[in-house]
Amino acid sequence: MIRKLFLILFALFAFTAQSQAQDDIQLADTLIINGETIIMLGDSVIILRAEQPKYWKKGGNFNLSIQQVSLTNWSAGGASNMALNTGVNLFANFQKDKKIWDNNLTVSFGFNRQSDRRFANRKTNDNFVFISKYGRELTPKWYLSTQIDARTQLLSGYRYFRPSGAELDARTKISDLFAPAYIQSSTGLNYKREMKNNDKISVIGSPFTGRFTIVMDDSLSRAGAFGVIPGEVVRAEAGMSVTSSTDIQILENIRWKMDLNLFSNYEKLGNLVVNMNSVISMKVNRFITTRIETILIYDERVLITRSDETKGPAIQVQNLINFGIGVDF
């Protein structure tokens, strides 16, 4: 009998304690300040912070590859040499409500050194590309966008040759920083789509495009290089353009990025200026990667000195295959 009475009293005590705890929770004071929920329960203060929206996405990639060959008393012949190629790609993309602002910077540089020749250090890669695009959403996949595309190089560029009867190479300066520089501004419709695996496709068609060719080097300007009027620094053109950007995963650990820009002057519709950059990245592990980079340029106003010493427009192609360090951040 006493045991049953003890059990009943214990059950009543537990029920009363639980009811009191529930009453304490129900009577807790709740405040909301600047989106943060503050709960005060007795001597305890609980702060529940609202998740802050992230409008910016930032990141990039750095790659570096080095090759060295050293020969001493090598009977098979050859020459000691060293090659370096490096590059960095940075992006900062903003999206809020119906507004987007995408920014991308690519800088790459490479050189080759062969000690037994005149002008031992020779540039093999030198590119600076900055693209900024601002847009407002019309539909989930269509935007009205304005884009700025700026391209130049960092160091002087030379054409190397050996004059007839000479024993040593000579060189002629053919380009420099801001000689040339290309600035293109375009406004039009932008189709933009993002898929799984962070795959992205973007195409801008612009009937209103301004393109400016800048040659800041006096000697190149006087020669009328890159299509400017001899003695002038800037050549301005109006026309239409199509710009596309593709970033897709082909296979596991293999991605392909391609940027294509086509421009046609209204004075000569159909004569295209072509700029294409393609990069295939194959990751071995977190830090080791193989990159196949291809740059293709065609501009009929840029006269190229060919191997037979004739001058004229030509397709410019640069191919790079790098195996080395690649870090995403």
Side-chain angles (χ1 to χ4, degrees):
M1 181 67 180
I2 295 175
R3 184 178 180 182
K4 290 183 179 180
L5 180 61
F6 177 77
L7 292 175
I8 292 172
L9 291 175
F10 180 79
L12 288 174
F13 175 78
F15 178 77
T16 303
Q18 181 179 3
S19 299
Q20 182 63 39
Q22 291 177 350
D23 291 341
D24 290 341
I25 294 175
Q26 292 171 357
L27 294 176
D29 294 327
T30 302
L31 298 175
I32 299 178
I33 301 176
N34 292 332
E36 294 184 351
T37 301
I38 302 177
I39 301 175
M40 302 181 65
L41 181 59
D43 295 333
S44 301
V45 177
I46 302 173
I47 300 177
L48 302 178
R49 299 184 182 275
E51 184 177 353
Q52 297 296 322
K54 295 182 180 180
Y55 301 121
W56 285 97
K57 290 184 179 180
K58 303 175 183 179
N61 172 271
F62 170 78
N63 63 85
L64 172 68
S65 64
I66 300 174
Q67 176 187 352
Q68 181 177 7
V69 177
S70 179
L71 302 177
T72 303
N73 300 324
W74 191 249
S75 63
S80 299
N81 68 83
M82 183 184 73
L84 177 145
N85 195 75
T86 186
V88 62
N89 177 266
L90 304 173
F91 69 87
N93 300 333
F94 175 85
Q95 183 170 2
K96 181 180 179 181
D97 300 329
K98 294 188 176 183
K99 295 177 289 186
I100 62 169
W101 183 24
D102 296 343
N103 301 277
N104 190 281
L105 173 65
T106 301
V107 181
S108 57
F109 176 77
F111 76 92
N112 175 278
R113 176 178 176 81
Q114 191 168 317
S115 57
D116 64 344
R117 66 187 177 186
R118 191 185 183 194
F119 310 118
N121 297 324
R122 301 190 183 187
K123 184 173 64 173
T124 58
N125 184 22
D126 186 3
N127 293 290
F128 180 98
V129 181
F130 174 71
I131 300 175
S132 181
K133 178 178 65 177
Y134 176 83
R136 292 189 65 90
E137 181 181 304
L138 301 177
T139 70
K141 295 180 182 179
W142 289 93
Y143 294 80
L144 181 62
S145 297
T146 296
Q147 177 170 289
I148 299 293
D149 184 317
R151 301 168 185 261
T152 186
Q153 61 190 55
L154 302 178
L155 301 176
S156 300
Y158 299 91
R159 183 177 72 88
Y160 298 92
F161 61 96
R162 181 165 296 182
S164 178
E167 295 183 357
L168 297 176
D169 289 344
R171 69 181 185 180
T172 301
K173 188 176 182 179
I174 59 174
S175 62
D176 207 339
L177 175 66
F178 296 117
Y182 299 100
I183 299 176
Q184 182 173 300
S185 174
S186 56
T187 299
L189 287 177
N190 177 200
Y191 173 80
K192 183 178 179 180
R193 183 180 178 186
E194 296 189 10
M195 298 162 283
K196 62 181 181 179
N197 298 326
N198 292 321
D199 291 354
K200 301 175 184 177
I201 295 176
S202 176
V203 180
I204 301 178
S206 172
F208 311 106
T209 302
R211 187 172 189 263
F212 302 89
T213 302
I214 301 172
V215 180
M216 298 292 292
D217 183 270
D218 291 339
S219 62
L220 295 174
S221 173
R222 287 194 297 268
F226 306 103
V228 301
I229 298 173
E232 297 290 334
V233 175
V234 179
R235 174 183 173 82
E237 300 175 85
M240 59 179 61
S241 66
V242 175
T243 303
S244 70
S245 177
T246 303
D247 184 357
I248 61 175
Q249 183 168 326
I250 301 175
L251 295 171
E252 186 178 1
N253 296 330
I254 300 179
R255 293 196 70 87
W256 176 49
K257 295 182 66 176
M258 191 270 289
D259 295 313
L260 175 65
N261 184 284
L262 305 175
F263 172 81
S264 181
N265 191 318
Y266 279 133
E267 295 179 359
K268 294 184 178 180
L269 283 177
N271 291 354
L272 293 176
V273 176
V274 180
N275 281 276
M276 187 201 76
N277 293 53
S278 173
V279 178
I280 298 176
S281 301
M282 296 173 281
K283 274 192 168 296
V284 178
N285 55 37
R286 183 180 176 184
F287 299 108
I288 305 300
T289 185
T290 297
R291 294 165 58 91
I292 303 175
E293 304 182 34
T294 301
I295 299 176
L296 185 149
I297 300 173
Y298 178 79
D299 187 345
E300 66 172 6
R301 296 185 180 278
V302 178
L303 304 181
I304 306 297
T305 301
R306 306 184 183 95
S307 57
D308 59 0
E309 297 302 320
T310 61
K311 282 191 174 183
I315 297 175
Q316 306 170 55
V317 180
Q318 180 186 75
N319 277 314
L320 300 171
I321 300 178
N322 298 323
F323 179 80
I325 299 173
V327 181
D328 295 324
F329 51 88

